[in-house]
Amino acid sequence: GYRVVSLVPSCSLMLKHEWPLLLPDNKDVGKLASHTMDISEYVVDIASKEGLCVAGLRPLAPTIILHHACHSRAQNMGFKAKEMLQAIPQLKVATIERCSGHGGSWGCKASSHATALKVGQPVAKQASNIHAKSKMTGIVSSECPLAGMHVKQGMHALTAAAIPPPVHPIQLLAAAYGFITLTTTTINSSAAPAPPLP
């Protein structure tokens, strides 16, 4: 009866789809796969069945440059991060549905990093344009932390502009509830708690 909730799409893809392909006759693996959800998928599921306390959500000012990670798309569940963020009042979300070029550890290796940035250049250009239109207030968000960082690196390589650190969409929801504070340099989890809800 428990749900297994994954913060990173690569992990949920492995648990939901790839592990059952490797061990198709293992009933435990099948049961785990059927009970695994991506964090955004989980929140959207709760919202559709029970609703979210929207009265506690505060508007967020920055434009969110939301990257739809490849491993989220591979799960064929829709753009759940975008659906989840639509609950936040007045939030401007610009979406990018292309590969960041990171490719897991391949994008981290010195021998392939420059090529990975070239592969991700269309995403970096699109994100940089959104960032410029937002008067340099845009924040990159991706469910994949490696992809988010890679998009930021690509944007910096194109423009040499200071780009705030990327954040996970669930951090944006937490900020809208007042649990954390978003800044241009860091995420502060010691923010004052949200006021009690009516």
Side-chain angles (χ1 to χ4, degrees):
Y2 288 108
R3 288 282 180 199
V4 176
V5 180
S6 170
L7 292 174
V8 180
S10 301
C11 299
S12 47
L13 179 67
M14 180 67 192
L15 293 173
K16 288 161 79 173
H17 300 288
E18 293 175 357
W19 206 6
L21 290 174
L22 294 170
L23 298 170
D25 298 324
N26 188 311
K27 291 181 182 174
D28 290 334
V29 169
K31 188 173 182 181
L32 175 64
S34 68
H35 286 82
T36 299
M37 297 182 90
D38 218 57
I39 184 71
S40 300
E41 178 186 23
Y42 180 69
V43 172
V44 168
D45 185 61
I46 289 172
S48 68
K49 291 178 180 170
E50 300 171 29
L52 291 178
C53 181
V54 291
L57 287 167
R58 304 167 184 177
L60 294 179
T63 297
I64 303 306
I65 304 163
L66 184 61
H67 173 254
H68 194 187
C70 297
H71 288 160
S72 290
R73 291 197 314 266
Q75 292 178 61
N76 294 318
M77 61 182 179
F79 203 164
K80 296 301 180 187
K82 182 180 177 184
E83 287 181 54
M84 179 180 74
L85 294 179
Q86 288 172 341
I88 300 173
Q90 302 171 28
L91 188 65
K92 295 178 190 133
V93 179
T95 58
I96 300 175
E97 297 196 45
R98 293 184 69 152
C99 178
S100 72
H102 195 277
S105 62
W106 180 76
C108 295
K109 294 178 181 175
S111 61
S112 50
H113 184 70
T115 304
L117 285 175
K118 284 182 187 175
V119 171
Q121 196 171 50
V123 170
K125 281 182 181 175
Q126 189 177 352
S128 294
N129 289 338
I130 296 165
H131 189 59
K133 287 177 186 172
S134 73
K135 298 181 181 161
M136 309 310 264
T137 63
I139 293 178
V140 174
S141 180
S142 180
E143 291 173 295
C144 175
L146 295 175
M149 186 57 71
H150 198 67
V151 171
K152 178 189 172 196
Q153 289 172 338
M155 292 170 69
H156 183 72
L158 287 173
T159 65
I163 310 294
V167 296
H168 193 289
I170 201 71
Q171 290 174 295
L172 296 169
L173 188 65
Y177 275 118
F179 297 128
I180 63 172
T181 303
L182 296 176
T183 70
T184 56
T185 56
T186 186
I187 302 285
N188 178 7
S189 60
S190 61
L197 300 174

